[in-house]
Amino acid sequence: MIMEIETLKLAKALIAQPSVTPDDHGCQSLLISRLTALGFRIESLRFGETDNFYAVYGEKGPLVCFAGHTDVVPAGDESCWTSPPFTPTERDGRLYGRGAADMKSSIAAFVTACERLLALQPDLPLRLALLITSDEEGDGHNGTKRVVELLQQRGEQIDYCIVGEPTAVDTLGDMIKNGRRGSLSGTLRVHGRQGHVAYPHLAANPVHLAAAALAELIATHWDDGNAYFPPTGFQISNIHAGTGATNVIPAELTVQFNFRFSTESSAESLRQRVHAILDKHGLRYDLDWALSGQPFLTTAGRLTTVAQTAIDRVCKVAAQLSTTGGTSDGRFIKAIASELIELGPVNATIHQIDECVDIAAIAQLSAIYEDMLQQLARPDSCQSA
């Protein structure tokens, strides 16, 4: 009962802060206060407008790091919410509020798990860490990426990393993310020549010129995926041309697209194949690329076993491993983490109106995190990965 009350109270306190990215709005101060009381050494790291902190407890043993973000996406039209988005509200067994699932409940669950564990075992044969940012939902340039770069410069390594992103599909614990696909975006500008629609021979319509190439890109089979990743997918997200008049052939077509790619393809191979298709169709074009994340994978090891065991004990659920979904800050942390997984609540309402989380699941998640730490603290589990 104490675990349920404390974790729920902390989750509510975090949700009550309108920490729309990248404004932390005091969330990290609240967390730092709790962690300082436990004996964590706090390093506040502000880059640009982004607040981050890195907190470490202990001097010996493998390092177990929890990674999360205090920022949330905008609430949208608040009049559409059943209750105000930044007033945490309990209703029908659920806690409502922006950030309830993504991912303030996870942060609260890990902090209270540490509080209970250290109250019983302050001389823990583990080092504990939290890496918290306020810019995961935004461009992320000054968030976890910058903190990881700093840790890399110091030569610091994380043995086990738990990212608190919402990963469950139907019920807490049914899915663990042990990797993510890469994300590669492109902005294509196809050049034509503006003119009157009645005189097409005096113009060059970039929409018509690009149509066959776009159809080929859509139809292309990029790879077959593998045992861990689904096949690479290509999606057009935005397309625009024209002056707004119906009698003018446009001078330019702009197309924005994205690849979510597996480890069977590389960013460079995808770029080369796209350019080859565009060149084959004889287009005049410019193409700007943006790589927001490489694919990463943690093969099943000690951390996934520990997580699956804890989930089974707390929730009586057999957790499946998956690499589906969007990107996360795990793509940055994996560079210094031997093993990394993502484990958090059900993701069905993230970024939506009336975002919510099952209240009972908040305490269960805290119990899962505590069980994982207890397992990793056992003498036969304390060898660095």
Side-chain angles (χ1 to χ4, degrees), residues 137-366:
E137 299 290 7
D139 59 30
H141 295 319
N142 289 319
T144 299
K145 180 180 180 181
R146 290 287 299 273
V147 178
V148 169
E149 289 172 352
L150 179 64
L151 297 178
Q152 279 182 308
Q153 292 170 9
R154 298 176 181 171
E156 297 189 34
Q157 186 75 13
I158 295 169
D159 294 286
Y160 306 109
C161 183
I162 306 161
V163 183
E165 290 290 348
T167 56
V169 179
D170 297 311
T171 186
L172 177 66
D174 62 5
M175 184 172 288
I176 298 169
K177 303 289 186 182
N178 66 323
R180 293 280 188 168
R181 294 174 294 175
S183 179
L184 175 66
S185 297
T187 299
L188 169 67
R189 297 177 182 84
V190 179
H191 306 297
R193 186 168 64 253
Q194 185 173 311
H196 196 294
V197 294
Y199 303 95
H201 60 290
L202 300 178
N205 194 320
V207 179
H208 295 186
L209 294 171
L214 295 179
E216 184 171 347
L217 288 170
I218 293 167
T220 295
H221 180 77
W222 302 98
D223 62 46
D224 293 317
N226 53 38
Y228 296 100
F229 290 94
T232 291
F234 170 87
Q235 289 291 319
I236 292 175
S237 55
N238 288 282
I239 189 164
H240 176 75
T243 63
T246 60
N247 61 350
V248 179
I249 292 172
E252 185 174 276
L253 169 70
T254 300
V255 181
Q256 292 177 308
F257 60 86
N258 177 266
F259 284 101
R260 292 301 165 104
F261 63 101
S262 76
T263 50
E264 295 299 307
S265 293
S266 67
E268 184 55 34
S269 71
L270 294 173
R271 290 189 192 102
Q272 290 175 354
R273 293 177 68 183
V274 169
H275 280 287
I277 290 171
L278 297 175
D279 293 341
K280 182 178 72 173
H281 288 272
L283 300 179
R284 292 191 304 114
Y285 68 91
D286 296 313
L287 179 50
D288 297 322
W289 294 97
L291 177 65
S292 59
Q294 296 282 5
F296 69 89
L297 178 71
T298 289
T299 54
R302 178 61 185 159
L303 187 58
T304 53
T305 299
V306 161
Q308 288 172 320
T309 299
I311 290 167
D312 180 60
R313 278 203 280 247
V314 174
C315 300
K316 310 303 180 189
V317 170
Q320 302 298 310
L321 301 180
S322 172
T323 61
T324 58
T327 59
S328 78
D329 277 356
R331 70 191 189 275
F332 304 127
I333 304 169
K334 190 61 177 68
I336 59 171
S338 299
E339 290 189 53
L340 182 148
I341 63 168
E342 300 176 23
L343 173 57
V346 172
N347 59 25
T349 63
I350 60 175
H351 294 203
Q352 295 183 15
I353 299 295
D354 284 348
E355 178 181 351
C356 62
V357 65
D358 183 77
I359 291 174
I362 300 175
Q364 287 181 315
L365 183 58
S366 186

Side-chain angles (χ1 to χ4, degrees), residues 10 13-14 17 19 22-38 40 42-46 50-55 69-71 104 107 111 115 130 132-134:
L10 181 52
L14 294 171
Q17 304 304 317
S19 54
D23 184 4
D24 171 67
H25 213 276
C27 290
Q28 292 184 22
S29 295
L30 176 61
L31 296 171
I32 287 170
S33 177
R34 301 277 288 245
L35 295 170
T36 300
L38 291 176
F40 277 81
I42 310 295
E43 187 174 7
S44 294
L45 300 164
R46 184 174 175 86
T50 301
D51 288 307
N52 312 278
F53 75 82
Y54 186 59
H69 60 89
T70 52
D71 62 313
K104 292 180 175 180
I107 297 174
V111 170
E115 288 174 338
L130 286 89
I132 305 295
T133 184
S134 66

Side-chain angles (χ1 to χ4, degrees), residues 52-75:
N52 312 278
F53 75 82
Y54 186 59
V56 180
Y57 178 94
E59 303 289 345
K60 61 181 185 295
L63 180 62
V64 183
C65 179
F66 175 88
H69 60 89
T70 52
D71 62 313
V72 298
V73 296

